[in-house]
Amino acid sequence: MTNEEYKRLAEKHAPRSRTGINMLRAFVYGGAICCVGQALQLLYTRLGIDADSAPTAVSVTLIFLGAALTAAGVYDDLARRALAGTLVPITGFANSVAAPALEFKTEGFITGTAAKMFVIAGPVIVYGTGASIVYGLLLCLFGAA
């Protein structure tokens, strides 16, 4: 069998791409998480938290909910249905920290939970911090408006 024949055979038996429906699901679920965040912000401002502090309270609440849902085993089921819709909001970050911590807790507090907690989120934090430093230095060098 030639490479071309094999390629045609593989394409014939490969599952169809579900990109469109996957993007729609991610959009709907991610949008729902963002709507919950907006509702929380409105709730916090009605409860008397000033407009500058409400977004911080929303972030803390969403991180707590993401970690709590991960601990309860609900977040993984939600992520299977929502695909990237749960990955992008801040709840995805909470899940990426809480999931490895829970998975490795049997190895002990230091060598398990603490050592493995940032296996997934660590690179994101490092490169995000590094990129912000580079951006800040460029802004200082070339001036800001």
Side-chain angles (χ1 to χ4, degrees), residues 10 27 59 68 79 93 103 120 128 140:
F27 177 78
S59 295
F93 178 77
E103 184 178 345
I120 297 170
C140 285

Side-chain angles (χ1 to χ4, degrees), residues 80-126:
R80 274 189 210 93
R81 285 191 300 274
L83 305 170
T86 58
L87 184 65
V88 176
I90 198 166
T91 54
F93 178 77
N95 175 262
S96 72
V97 173
L102 292 170
E103 184 178 345
F104 292 102
K105 70 181 177 183
T106 57
E107 295 180 22
F109 184 72
I110 301 297
T111 58
T113 301
K116 303 292 185 178
M117 186 178 290
F118 292 102
V119 167
I120 297 170
V124 174
I125 294 169
V126 168

Side-chain angles (χ1 to χ4, degrees), residues 123-134:
V124 174
I125 294 169
V126 168
Y127 285 103
T129 303
S132 65
I133 290 169
V134 169

Side-chain angles (χ1 to χ4, degrees), residues 18-32 81-86:
R18 300 186 59 181
T19 303
I21 192 73
N22 290 347
M23 288 189 321
L24 180 63
R25 286 169 59 185
F27 177 78
V28 169
Y29 279 92
R81 285 191 300 274
L83 305 170
T86 58

